[in-house]
C-alpha cells in the first residue's frame, strides 16, 4: 500500500511551479495537521516566484519549496502531547516559529530568533498552498465562529498592518501616508483610520 499523498503547489525554480502530489504531512509530537481551507498570496511569495527573495541568496530558503504563510483551516490530526481538544477546531497560525529556547524567544520575540523557521518561507518548513499543513500546536490561534476562512487567512497580514499603524502613533486629526496599495498597505490604512485596541 502506497503512502498517502496530498496536492500542493511546488515552486521548483524562478518562474517554474506546478501542482504536485507530495507526501501527506504527519502530526509528529507537539504538532497538528490542518486541512487547509484558504491561503493568501503575499508579496513575499511573489519574490520567491521571481527568484528575487533575499532568503534564497542568504541560504535560508531553497527550491523546491511550498509557499503559503497566510492561511486558515481545520485541525484534522494531533500528535503526541497535543491537547485533543484542537481536533475539529478552525484555526490560523503564526508564520515565524522560533526555537523557543533562545533569549529572543524567551522575551516573546520569536520573529527575530536566529534559528527560526517561517511557514512556507524559511528553514524548509512547508507552507499552506497544499491540501494539508503541519505546524506546531503552540503556533495555532483559534478562529471565532463569525470569522470565516477568508478573514482567517487575513489575520496574519492584518496583524502586520495593525502593528505598523500602531507604531506610527496616528491619532485623531493626524494624517498618515501609506505607501503601497497591496493587502497590508490597505489594511494599514484601515487600521490608521479606525484605531483598534493595542496589541498585547
Amino acid at each position: 500500500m502506497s503512502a498517502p499523498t496530498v496536492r500542493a503547489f511546488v515552486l521548483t525554480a524562478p518562474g517554474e511551479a506546478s501542482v504536485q502530489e507530495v507526501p501527506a504531512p504527519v502530526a509528529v509530537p507537539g504538532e497538528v495537521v490542518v486541512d487547509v481551507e484558504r491561503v493568501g498570496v503575499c508579496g513575499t511569495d511573489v519574490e520567491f516566484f521571481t527568484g528575487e527573495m533575499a532568503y534564497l541568496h542568504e541560504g535560508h530558503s531553497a527550491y523546491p519549496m511550498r509557499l503559503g504563510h497566510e492561511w486558515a483551516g481545520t485541525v484534522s490530526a494531533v500528535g503526541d502531547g497535543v491537547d485533543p481538544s484542537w481536533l475539529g477546531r478552525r484555526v490560523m497560525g503564526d508564520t515565524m516559529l522560533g526555537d523557543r529556547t533562545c533569549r529572543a524567544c524567551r522575551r516573546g520575540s520569536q520573529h527575530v530568533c536566529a534559528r527560526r523557521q517561517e511557514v512556507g518561507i524559511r528553514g524548509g518548513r512547508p507552507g499552506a498552498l497544499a491540501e494539508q499543513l503541519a505546524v506546531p500546536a503552540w503556533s495555532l490561534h483559534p478562529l471565532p465562529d463569525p470569522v470565516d476562512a477568508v478573514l482567517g487567512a487575513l489575520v496574519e497580514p492584518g496583524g502586520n498592518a495593525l502593528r505598523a499603524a500602531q507604531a506610527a502613533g496616528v491619532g485623531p486629526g493626524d494624517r498618515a501616508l501609506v505607501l503601497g496599495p497591496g493587502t497590508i498597505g490597505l489594511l494599514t490604512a484601515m487600521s490608521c483610520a479606525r484605531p483598534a485596541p493595542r496589541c498585547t
Side-chain angles (χ1 to χ4, degrees):
M1 182 173 151
S2 59
T5 62
V6 295
R7 290 178 300 164
F9 180 82
V10 180
L11 184 59
T12 54
E16 296 180 12
S18 62
V19 175
Q20 300 179 13
E21 294 285 334
V22 300
V26 175
V28 299
E31 297 199 357
V32 303
V33 171
V34 175
D35 291 343
V36 177
E37 189 172 349
R38 290 287 185 271
V39 183
V41 176
C42 178
T44 301
D45 301 322
V46 174
E47 289 184 9
F48 278 118
F49 188 80
T50 62
E52 298 171 359
M53 178 60 181
Y55 281 2
L56 291 167
H57 310 287
E58 296 167 353
H60 299 302
S61 305
Y63 302 113
M65 62 186 308
R66 290 167 29 202
L67 305 173
H69 60 277
E70 303 169 357
W71 57 270
T74 302
V75 177
S76 59
V78 298
D80 288 345
V82 176
D83 185 339
S85 69
W86 279 112
L87 278 170
R89 294 187 80 176
R90 298 174 54 253
V91 296
M92 59 77 57
D94 294 334
T95 296
M96 299 187 180
L97 309 176
D99 66 11
R100 305 187 80 200
T101 61
C102 71
R103 185 168 183 256
C105 286
R106 291 195 312 270
R107 297 176 71 182
S109 299
Q110 67 185 31
H111 61 290
V112 294
C113 171
R115 293 182 294 275
R116 72 187 178 278
Q117 291 183 322
E118 297 177 30
V119 176
I121 297 174
R122 176 182 167 129
R125 170 72 68 167
L129 277 173
E131 292 176 305
Q132 292 185 319
L133 169 73
V135 292
W138 59 262
S139 71
L140 297 176
H141 300 277
L143 295 175
D145 289 340
V147 177
D148 66 15
V150 173
L151 291 177
L154 285 168
V155 171
E156 194 273 348
N160 286 319
L162 179 60
R163 287 191 180 274
Q166 291 175 341
V170 177
D174 289 340
R175 298 179 74 181
L177 172 64
V178 179
L179 299 176
T183 302
I184 293 176
L186 294 173
L187 290 170
T188 301
M190 290 172 63
S191 296
C192 287
R194 296 174 176 242
R198 299 292 302 175
C199 291
T200 56

